[in-house]
Amino acid sequence: MTGGGRAVLLLPVLLISALFAQIRASDPLFHESFNESFDGSWIVSGKEEYKGVWKHAKSDGHEDYGLLVSEPARKYAIIKELDYPVTMKDETVVLQFEVRLQNGLECGGAYIKYIRPQATGWNAKDFDNDTPYTIMFGPDKCGSTNKVHFILKHKNPKTGKYVEHHLKSPPSVPYDKLSHVYTAILKPDNEVRILVDGVEKSKANFLSAADFEPALIPSKTIPDPDDKKPEDWDERAKIPDPVAVKPDDWDEDAPMEIVDEEATKPEGWLDDEPEEIDDPEAAKPEDWDDEEDGEWEAPKMDNPKCEVAPGCGEWKKPMKDNPAYKGKWHAPLIDNPNYKGIWKPQEISNPEYFELDKPDFDPIAAIGIEIWTMQDGILFDNILIADNEKVATSILEKTWKPKFDVEKEKQKAEEAAAGASEGLSEFQKKIFDILYKVADIPFLEPYKTKIIDVIEKGETQPNITISILASVIVVIVTVLFRALFGGKKPVAPVKPAAETKKPSAVVPDAAAGSSGDKEDDKDAPCRRSRRDA
């Protein structure tokens, strides 16, 4: 057969091969649309603690089905074993899924665990929080936690131990009740990109210590755990002068301020006029009940006569700085002749150190959802694993985008119908987001739990948002005053004259908290310690 004949015979083979390659490139490695019931395909955990009921349900306003968290305040666990493991060694891997928080998310998770291969004999019914995973990815919000987690469990080749490595700068969770799609793209060059609704929100390098905590590659040296500071090691740079003595004329008891005996009462001072008087225009409210509300008193207002006078009421000589005040005497500080610097243990080689060109990812053998949430209405959909970004984008455009557009238009219409009063909702969400970050400020640590109690109270009662903000500000100001002035409290602000009735809603005191004497609900995940972190 001539060369031309062989070429003619090979041409159909090449075309068929190219066609199959194209089809393969357009297919995801795994895609769960939940168009059909999950029974028999997904396995619900048989562990006693997971009492939450999963349902195959439609997304609100759509004909599209998803996997629904149907009950509040429950633990949920369900797993899908893949037909064959997905390796993540030398090619791009895209992890993507949709979540719709139809009733919001005050406290709980909506993330997915990508499970590594289990030991022989393992049963999917045994799936729980302790089941080893290779990646955990997705939204989580509770108290000060508000992030789209990305956690890699990586095996140390020196010790054989798995370590959790957390993305340091994860994006925050969208606050609304719309469908959102979360995407993690793992590249062969060690890059990982986190997208929300197809928009990149975070980018990191797996081998960068600046991007993951702890770093995948341990430090070459560590402080010697057996090295102890010598007993005679002096870390004081300055010491009181041991030969200094208090001067004979130093009076430690002299007051900081004394009465200004040279002061005289200003001319025109109104001794017989009070600074405040009853508001003559105020009237007792018609619904005021003396037995229930107590005896009504008219609100006070500034005395108008005092506005044109130098002052009203009893005049007293003012205080002035005492020139004789010196305070408690302390010996002056001098350089410490025995100062040796701040002691640190010597560095030794880290026995757990290893070098790495790229992460040694474990394969993905199953997909599991194991969460603890206070909300129902969480709907998972279109869970996808692909080795091609275009495939993931195509599915996003076909499945998520049309739903999101419909939901967004409906949301705009509802906001327009509700009027300007509802326009504060987005503003409120931003305020609460800021307040959660404020609660994480180190010097507010003793008050963190109580501040979060107040914030969560505000999230359930949007009409008191400004009062919640004021309460948190009061806590911050109080802490600052105590730090600066040794416990002195700021002067309480004067209440407005128009405030004649008891408020309709009681705002919890920021310093006292809102939980009262109620016992903590052991089943509630709020302000939990990180179970998967």
Side-chain angles (χ1 to χ4, degrees):
M1 183 179 292
T2 64
R6 284 194 296 270
V8 171
L9 291 176
L10 285 174
L11 183 59
V13 176
L14 293 174
L15 290 174
I16 293 173
S17 298
L19 178 62
F20 275 107
Q22 185 176 0
I23 293 173
R24 172 66 184 83
S26 64
D27 287 340
L29 302 177
F30 172 81
H31 181 209
E32 175 60 84
S33 65
F34 294 106
N35 290 335
E36 304 295 334
S37 173
F38 62 86
D39 287 340
S41 176
W42 289 72
I43 306 300
V44 177
S45 174
K47 295 294 184 71
E48 177 64 25
E49 61 190 294
Y50 298 104
K51 298 181 179 179
V53 177
W54 297 96
K55 289 186 177 180
H56 185 239
K58 290 181 181 179
S59 180
D60 185 25
H62 304 291
E63 291 300 315
D64 186 52
Y65 282 85
L67 181 64
L68 180 69
V69 170
S70 67
E71 299 175 300
R74 290 284 188 271
K75 288 184 177 182
Y76 290 80
I78 192 170
I79 191 169
K80 164 72 174 181
E81 294 185 281
L82 305 184
D83 294 334
Y84 55 89
V86 174
T87 59
M88 300 188 293
K89 296 288 186 181
D90 301 309
E91 58 184 14
T92 295
V93 174
V94 183
L95 309 176
Q96 182 170 287
F97 64 97
E98 292 178 30
V99 170
R100 186 178 184 188
L101 309 173
Q102 298 178 116
N103 296 325
L105 185 64
E106 293 177 14
C107 188
Y111 42 77
I112 286 180
K113 292 180 177 180
Y114 298 87
I115 309 302
R116 69 175 186 249
Q118 304 298 299
T120 303
W122 183 81
N123 191 308
K125 284 280 187 180
D126 295 328
F127 176 55
D128 62 10
N129 181 56
D130 296 325
T131 301
Y133 61 85
T134 184
I135 288 174
M136 188 180 104
F137 172 53
D140 187 23
K141 182 178 182 294
C142 194
S144 60
T145 297
N146 179 13
K147 65 180 69 175
V148 179
H149 282 296
F150 184 88
I151 304 173
L152 168 66
K153 272 195 175 183
H154 190 265
K155 185 177 181 179
N156 184 313
K158 282 286 189 71
T159 64
K161 296 179 181 178
Y162 281 88
V163 178
E164 290 184 352
H165 303 277
H166 296 246
L167 182 65
K168 283 187 177 181
S169 300
S172 58
V173 180
Y175 276 100
D176 55 47
K177 300 178 182 179
L178 310 180
S179 297
H180 292 284
V181 60
Y182 298 90
T183 309
I185 304 173
L186 289 67
K187 305 288 288 183
D189 61 358
N190 299 326
E191 181 183 84
V192 57
R193 296 165 53 215
I194 306 299
L195 288 66
V196 179
D197 297 344
V199 178
E200 182 178 301
K201 298 294 184 179
S202 183
K203 182 167 67 175
N205 188 294
F206 281 113
L207 302 188
S208 172
D211 293 338
F212 280 87
E213 176 62 36
L216 262 73
I217 302 177
S219 58
K220 288 186 177 181
T221 62
I222 58 171
D224 185 353
D226 297 323
D227 193 12
K228 306 298 181 184
K229 182 171 71 173
E231 294 183 1
D232 61 348
W233 192 280
D234 197 336
E235 295 182 324
R236 299 172 300 163
K238 299 281 187 178
I239 60 172
D241 187 349
V243 300
V245 294
K246 183 172 69 174
D248 294 335
D249 62 347
W250 193 290
D251 184 2
E252 292 186 328
D253 298 324
M256 184 182 297
E257 292 182 329
I258 57 174
V259 176
D260 185 358
E261 298 293 349
E262 298 179 358
T264 57
K265 181 167 65 175
E267 185 177 350
W269 189 279
L270 305 179
D271 297 85
D272 298 329
E273 289 290 340
E275 293 182 1
E276 291 185 333
I277 60 172
D278 290 345
D279 185 352
E281 297 183 2
K284 181 178 178 180
E286 295 181 359
D287 59 349
W288 189 276
D289 188 329
D290 288 337
E291 292 185 2
E292 181 179 342
D293 301 324
E295 182 180 353
W296 182 82
E297 295 181 359
K300 298 291 184 181
M301 61 174 286
D302 292 337
N303 188 342
K305 295 181 180 179
C306 299
E307 294 180 2
V308 295
C312 292
E314 181 184 359
W315 182 82
K316 294 182 180 180
K317 291 184 177 183
M319 304 295 287
K320 69 175 185 178
D321 292 339
N322 182 5
Y325 172 75
K326 293 185 178 180
K328 186 172 180 61
W329 181 84
H330 297 280
L333 297 177
I334 63 171
D335 291 336
N336 181 5
N338 298 319
Y339 176 66
K340 294 184 179 181
I342 303 300
W343 182 86
K344 293 182 180 178
Q346 64 178 344
E347 293 285 316
I348 62 172
S349 297
N350 184 359
E352 297 186 2
Y353 172 76
F354 61 90
E355 295 184 355
L356 193 68
D357 292 329
K358 58 178 57 181
D360 186 17
F361 297 106
D362 281 328
I364 298 174
I367 294 174
I369 305 174
E370 189 275 326
I371 57 175
W372 189 10
T373 179
M374 295 300 291
Q375 274 70 51
D376 57 355
I378 300 175
L379 191 78
F380 292 88
D381 200 2
N382 289 305
I383 301 174
L384 170 77
I385 301 177
D387 56 7
N388 189 312
E389 293 180 51
K390 293 182 179 180
V391 171
T393 301
S394 175
I395 291 179
L396 177 152
E397 292 290 337
K398 292 177 181 178
T399 60
W400 166 78
K401 191 65 165 59
K403 291 185 292 187
F404 179 79
D405 290 343
V406 170
E407 294 161 11
K408 195 68 176 177
E409 287 302 316
K410 182 180 178 182
Q411 182 188 58
K412 289 179 181 178
E414 290 174 348
E415 288 176 352
S421 61
E422 291 298 322
L424 189 61
S425 59
E426 288 299 320
F427 173 68
Q428 288 171 323
K429 293 170 184 176
K430 292 179 180 179
I431 288 180
F432 289 126
D433 194 21
I434 293 171
L435 290 179
Y436 278 123
K437 289 181 173 64
V438 168
D440 274 337
I441 296 176
F443 79 87
L444 292 176
E445 181 64 29
Y447 305 89
K448 180 174 179 178
T449 299
K450 294 175 181 178
I451 290 175
I452 290 176
D453 280 339
V454 176
I455 297 172
E456 291 177 347
K457 180 78 171 179
E459 285 186 311
T460 60
Q461 299 183 30
N463 60 309
I464 61 172
T465 299
I466 301 303
S467 298
I468 294 296
L469 178 61
S471 299
V472 175
I473 291 174
V474 167
V475 172
I476 296 173
V477 172
T478 302
V479 173
L480 288 175
F481 265 75
R482 288 176 178 171
L484 295 174
F485 304 107
K488 293 184 179 180
K489 296 181 179 179
V491 179
V494 179
K495 293 183 178 180
E499 194 173 297
T500 60
K501 282 192 68 178
K502 296 186 292 184
S504 58
V506 179
V507 180
D509 180 76
S514 60
S515 58
D517 295 325
K518 292 172 64 178
E519 286 188 8
D520 292 336
D521 184 357
K522 294 182 179 179
D523 290 330
C526 295
R527 295 187 304 280
R528 64 191 185 276
S529 58
R530 194 186 311 285
R531 299 175 296 113
D532 298 304

